[in-house]
Amino acid sequence: MNVLVVGGAGYIGSHMVRLLAADGHRPVVLDNLSTGFRQAVTVGELVVGEMNNRELVKQILSDYKIDAVMHFAACALVGESVIDPAKYYLNNVSATFELLEAMREVDVKRIVFSSTCATYGEPKVVPINEQTPQQPVNPYGFTKLAIERALSDYAHAYDFGYAALRYFNAAGASPDGSIGEDHDPESHLIPIVLQTALGQREQVTIYGSDWSTPDGTCVRDYIHVDDLGSAHLAALERLKLGEGLCVNLGTGNGFSVRQIIEACRQVTGHAIPAIEGERRPGDPPELVADASLAKEKLGWVPKYTEPAQIIKTAWAWHSTNPTGYEKRTEGSTVV
Ligand code: UDP
């Protein structure tokens, strides 16, 4: 298939583009490079532009005879969404509607959408299955839920076929270390811990050690970025016009902040100092997927089930690209 990957220069999108090409598809990337990187697009074509430019999107859909769209272009930081909700509603909702309308105008109706476990808010029961009420507790979660609802309406009214994939904690990198996670500022746990291993930070601050979890720190379900990608490939094959599929993507296993730091120590061989700090506002104590529906509907099983396996790939990226994409020097290695 010819697949338009919106946000394909970003962290998850850039891994997706490679998997699409390896699976025999033709990826075409549309990215405004606001948080993505030209160097992250290692196969296929890159068009630099805005997804809310309806004429541009229509042009790409026609020129490249696009069969389906994958949509990764979103702002995705919970804390930032609380401080600057307009940015989130404009990009994640308003611009996405322009994308959907461009698709509708040229009759491209297949879309795989990146949703999130943040649409569940703070669920009372863990592991979280898809029947759990979606009650977001921050603007980021609301924006993603808004698009899920719109896709359902577009499927019924306009015959769209969609999959909304609710990611848990995306982590890891390409095992060869050539592409990976690069955010500025970085807020995600594993990159922060690995930057500490590299000596770029003095210590890791554990956000809260008095949670009602086994070791007092927050528990998350870390899912490898290539496992997210393989689920997208499976979803792409199964898109049916007029129908939608909403599934969780996680391993089904939860690991605490302390367990992740310890796994990073094992993988890197570095001491990695950590101190206990305040809770981060908006953090639910435990988010773990019940991923059985994805297995059933997509025939999908994650390959990486242990944090150490995931961290090993993240370390391959961070240790060879200690300053990320912008200032990376080919072939440099820091260990
Ligand atoms: N976390 C932490 N210290 C950090 C960054 C994150 O203790 O410097 C915790 C955070 O509170 C959460 C978990 O690590 O419980 C994962 O956070 P991340 O930002 O990676 O993902 P989120 O779960 O917020 O999407």
Side-chain angles (χ1 to χ4, degrees):
M1 276 190 238
N2 297 331
V3 182
L4 176 62
V5 185
V6 186
Y11 169 43
I12 303 171
S14 60
H15 289 78
M16 185 73 245
V17 166
R18 280 197 179 177
L19 293 185
L20 280 165
D23 206 44
H25 299 285
R26 181 187 183 194
V28 178
V29 172
L30 172 64
D31 200 297
N32 65 6
L33 301 182
S34 60
T35 54
F37 299 91
R38 196 177 285 277
Q39 306 97 298
V41 183
T42 54
V43 284
E45 276 133 292
L46 166 67
V47 179
V48 179
E50 299 291 338
M51 70 174 158
N52 66 2
N53 182 341
R54 213 188 282 188
E55 290 311 312
L56 172 69
V57 174
K58 278 161 60 180
Q59 192 74 48
I60 298 169
L61 294 174
S62 314
D63 287 354
Y64 292 95
K65 297 186 170 47
I66 296 294
D67 300 295
V69 173
M70 290 186 173
H71 178 19
F72 296 93
C75 305
L77 298 177
V78 167
E80 186 188 51
S81 79
V82 177
I83 294 163
D84 190 5
K87 179 176 175 183
Y88 281 69
Y89 285 101
L90 286 171
N91 189 52
N92 296 6
V93 182
S94 174
T96 296
F97 274 108
E98 292 299 325
L99 171 69
L100 295 178
E101 285 304 280
M103 291 173 64
R104 196 157 73 92
E105 285 180 26
V106 296
D107 214 25
V108 174
K109 296 184 168 180
R110 291 180 168 81
I111 181 164
V112 183
F113 173 63
S114 305
S115 190
T116 168
C117 63
T119 59
Y120 295 115
E122 295 185 14
K124 293 185 181 60
V125 181
V126 176
I128 301 162
N129 67 27
E130 290 79 359
Q131 307 310 314
T132 304
Q134 288 178 289
Q135 295 168 332
V137 293
N138 51 60
Y140 169 61
F142 276 110
T143 62
K144 289 289 181 174
L145 182 56
I147 299 303
E148 279 203 20
R149 294 284 151 87
L151 287 173
S152 166
D153 295 336
Y154 273 50
H156 289 119
Y158 309 135
D159 218 23
F160 269 54
Y162 75 95
L165 305 180
R166 298 177 187 154
Y167 307 168
F168 281 64
N169 285 60
S174 176
D176 66 7
S178 57
I179 56 173
E181 200 167 359
D182 182 355
H183 300 118
D184 186 19
E186 188 53 75
S187 65
H188 295 104
L189 179 64
I190 292 175
I192 284 177
V193 178
L194 296 181
Q195 286 171 357
T196 311
L198 286 168
Q200 296 173 349
R201 295 170 188 265
E202 267 180 37
Q203 63 206 13
V204 180
T205 303
I206 298 171
Y207 296 147
S209 50
D210 56 352
W211 295 97
S212 56
T213 56
D215 69 15
T217 67
C218 286
V219 171
R220 294 288 181 271
D221 183 337
Y222 296 88
I223 173 89
H224 194 275
V225 64
D226 282 345
D227 282 328
L228 291 179
S230 66
H232 283 68
L233 288 178
L236 183 68
E237 304 292 341
R238 287 166 178 78
L239 292 177
K240 286 204 188 76
L241 295 182
E243 291 182 21
L245 174 70
C246 301
V247 293
N248 291 339
L249 295 182
T251 64
N253 303 316
F255 295 91
S256 72
V257 174
R258 285 193 214 279
Q259 285 176 307
I260 294 296
I261 296 171
E262 192 46 45
C264 289
R265 290 184 179 127
Q266 299 294 328
V267 168
T268 64
H270 290 265
I272 312 182
I275 57 161
E276 294 175 8
E278 296 296 309
R279 292 180 174 191
R280 185 169 66 176
D283 271 346
E286 190 174 1
L287 292 172
V288 178
D290 174 341
S292 49
L293 192 67
K295 287 174 192 158
E296 184 194 317
K297 297 278 185 190
L298 301 176
W300 167 83
V301 189
K303 274 192 346 203
Y304 296 83
T305 51
E306 289 299 317
Q309 299 172 311
I310 297 176
I311 291 163
K312 218 173 139 197
T313 66
W315 184 236
W317 157 252
H318 286 284
S319 59
T320 52
N321 301 277
T323 53
Y325 286 107
E326 296 283 63
K327 297 168 219 143
R328 76 198 270 192
T329 12
E330 288 304 325
S332 69
T333 307
V334 177
V335 241

